[in-house]
Amino acid sequence: MPLFKISNPGMAAFHIAIAALMVGTGTINTLAAKWADKLRSHGYNPKPKHAFDHPYFQAAEMFLGEMMCIFVFKIWFFYRNCRKKDMSIFGPQKFIPIVWAIPAMCDLLGTSTMYVGLTWTFASSFQMLRGSVIIFTGLLSVAFLGTRLKIHHWFGMLFVLLGLILVGVGDTIFSHESQSASHYSLAGDLLIVLAQVITAVQMTIEEKLIKKYKVPPLQAVGWEGIFGFSVLCIAMIPMYFIPWHLPQTRDIWQQTTRFEDAVDAFYMLGNNWQLLFASIGTVISISFFNFAGLTVTSTMNATTRMVLDSVRTIFIWAFSLGIKWQAFQALQPVGYFVLFIGTCIYYDIILMPLFRYALDKVRHRYPMKGRIGGNIQDDEKKPLLGDDSAEYEHKKRLPNFIGSNTKDY
């Protein structure tokens, strides 16, 4: 008799498909942004070709992708309304959209900072270091949401911190590039970690708003995209006239330096079809990634989403090595493994359920004797998890190592 019995093959196939969509589009999103950073093209200044160092323009592309989620939500809303289906899943819909401007501004600042860091470091390091959001989200949830973290949360954050240190040290010490480039890699890593502090603030505010107004996450992402895209498009106008530019690691090409030159970015897109393709890929992939991620959370659980988000780091790292975007660094896979272990411990998946399962088996095989007469008390014979005997025997055969605690922390 098989241990895993699929009661609904159609639903299982849907879960596999949506998980693959999330991992695939998440991988494409990071790789497309890094590919754009590495491409060179002519801008409005015809001499010479230069790298696509436009992080704020790339952030606007990301917000454009998020903004598309509002159209998906509207289609979903009107479809269920026309079919006379239950509309309670959309909540009371009694909120002022402007409330999403606050997390949108956090998203704008955090995403822009991450894309600046991405121009200086590796795509795989970028994805790994984003895992540091666990630490800051956990600490902020204690400070502002009154959440009580358990012991496995603290151990998880400790492992994540150790993994981040290993990745940063690997990028700096074992880099095969010049000393100047290795310093830029470290600076990029620090910027990405700093962006996760902002992202943690954003997630804390989002959690309070979603709980207060009971807004569907897809709608919330769409409104954030609208506000973020609008504000960033307006902000890039004064950025064009600010006389400063990000330090260049490859060349100095501009006659007049600018904080963000959106005009040059559009010229570069028009002069290089590969760059245009990478930018379109970023917009489309971020839309499908948000859709797939929210679907995984709603149809499976949030812990599964975190596992899948960690898994895509493997594909990004393998692809970067395969096309020689980076050289192999011994500490990077070690750092990723420690980060993955920390994520599993924090979200109470695989490791902690496996430990509790093994401990439960040992305690039932070698039960402690009671205090009276040396006999085992009846209450000590019961399973530690409080299950009845039939259900407990089933759980012994089929332990739930993934998602045993499905609460989204």
Side-chain angles (χ1 to χ4, degrees):
M1 180 178 179
L3 292 179
F4 295 90
K5 182 179 179 181
I6 301 176
S7 58
N8 191 339
M11 184 57 68
F14 171 76
H15 286 168
I16 294 174
I18 202 68
L21 179 65
M22 178 184 168
V23 173
T25 54
T27 302
I28 292 172
N29 179 38
T30 300
L31 292 176
K34 187 60 181 180
W35 183 30
D37 290 339
K38 299 182 79 66
L39 291 173
R40 305 175 73 84
S41 178
H42 290 293
Y44 65 81
N45 185 350
K47 56 177 183 179
K49 285 185 176 181
H50 50 273
F52 190 74
D53 290 329
H54 295 288
Y56 298 96
F57 187 88
Q58 287 180 303
E61 293 176 344
M62 187 277 296
F63 280 115
L64 180 60
E66 288 188 357
M67 188 171 66
M68 294 173 64
C69 292
I70 199 68
F71 299 106
V72 177
F73 171 79
K74 292 296 184 182
I75 294 172
W76 181 32
F77 184 90
F78 286 118
Y79 170 79
R80 293 189 66 90
N81 190 32
C82 292
R83 293 280 183 171
K84 306 297 182 183
K85 294 189 176 184
D86 181 22
M87 302 295 288
S88 62
I89 60 174
F90 298 109
Q93 292 291 305
K94 294 181 180 180
F95 66 94
I96 304 174
I98 194 67
V99 298
W100 297 105
I102 300 175
M105 294 306 99
C106 294
D107 197 3
L108 187 155
L109 184 58
T111 302
S112 300
T113 305
M114 279 194 292
Y115 278 124
V116 172
L118 180 60
T119 61
W120 294 343
T121 191
F122 307 109
S124 55
S125 298
F126 169 81
Q127 184 59 38
M128 291 181 194
L129 293 169
R130 293 182 68 178
S132 62
V133 71
I134 290 175
I135 298 175
F136 306 116
T137 303
L139 296 177
L140 288 174
S141 66
V142 172
F144 296 102
L145 299 179
T147 305
R148 295 184 62 182
L149 298 182
K150 298 181 180 179
I151 187 66
H152 64 84
H153 294 139
W154 295 106
F155 273 107
M157 290 191 291
L158 182 62
F159 271 85
V160 168
L161 179 61
L162 178 60
L164 296 175
I165 294 173
L166 291 174
V167 172
V169 170
D171 286 348
T172 305
I173 297 179
F174 296 101
S175 177
H176 294 279
E177 302 178 4
S178 64
Q179 183 177 4
S180 176
S182 66
H183 289 165
Y184 275 109
S185 296
L186 178 59
D189 292 347
L190 293 175
L191 284 176
I192 293 169
V193 174
L194 174 63
Q196 302 319 302
V197 180
I198 305 171
T199 302
V201 175
Q202 171 198 341
M203 294 175 66
T204 305
I205 297 174
E206 285 175 345
E207 183 176 348
K208 295 198 72 168
L209 291 176
I210 288 177
K211 288 182 178 180
K212 181 178 180 179
Y213 297 108
K214 297 179 174 58
V215 181
L218 190 64
Q219 185 183 21
V221 171
W223 277 116
E224 286 185 24
I226 291 174
F227 286 113
F229 182 76
S230 303
V231 171
L232 195 53
C233 285
I234 296 173
M236 281 193 288
I237 297 175
M239 285 180 183
Y240 181 82
F241 298 100
I242 297 176
W244 183 81
H245 196 272
L246 295 173
Q248 300 289 315
T249 60
R250 292 171 287 275
D251 51 20
I252 300 294
W253 58 269
Q254 292 174 307
Q255 294 179 352
T256 305
T257 57
R258 306 184 189 279
F259 192 85
E260 177 58 275
D261 196 338
V263 176
D264 181 74
F266 279 113
Y267 269 91
M268 294 184 72
L269 293 178
N271 291 330
N272 189 333
W273 69 268
Q274 292 179 317
L275 189 56
L276 179 61
F277 183 76
S279 297
I280 295 175
T282 299
V283 174
I284 296 177
S285 63
I286 197 67
S287 301
F288 279 95
F289 177 70
N290 278 289
F291 168 75
L294 293 171
T295 304
V296 168
T297 300
S298 60
T299 60
M300 288 179 267
N301 52 62
T303 54
T304 303
R305 182 177 181 178
M306 293 306 303
V307 172
L308 294 175
D309 197 55
S310 299
V311 166
R312 68 183 173 123
T313 306
I314 301 176
F315 294 97
I316 295 170
W317 180 60
F319 187 88
S320 299
L321 288 177
I323 62 175
K324 297 182 179 180
W325 277 2
Q326 67 181 85
F328 177 79
Q329 301 173 13
L331 278 182
Q332 199 164 57
V334 176
Y336 166 72
F337 179 74
V338 175
L339 278 170
F340 182 76
I341 293 296
T343 303
C344 289
I345 294 175
Y346 184 89
Y347 286 100
D348 198 16
I349 50 180
I350 301 177
L351 297 177
M352 294 301 294
L354 181 61
F355 173 76
R356 286 193 293 267
Y357 173 76
L359 183 62
D360 193 59
K361 293 280 288 185
V362 170
R363 287 184 175 178
H364 280 81
R365 183 161 184 167
Y366 305 102
M368 296 178 62
K369 293 185 178 181
R371 297 179 180 178
I372 303 175
N375 297 322
I376 302 174
Q377 303 300 313
D378 292 336
D379 58 344
E380 291 177 346
K381 297 179 182 179
K382 296 180 181 179
L384 297 178
L385 298 178
D387 301 334
D388 57 37
S389 58
E391 184 179 357
Y392 177 71
E393 289 299 324
H394 172 69
K395 285 193 174 184
K396 285 200 298 182
R397 297 193 302 269
L398 184 58
N400 184 14
F401 294 152
I402 298 182
S404 65
N405 186 348
T406 58
K407 182 180 179 181
D408 188 4
Y409 292 100

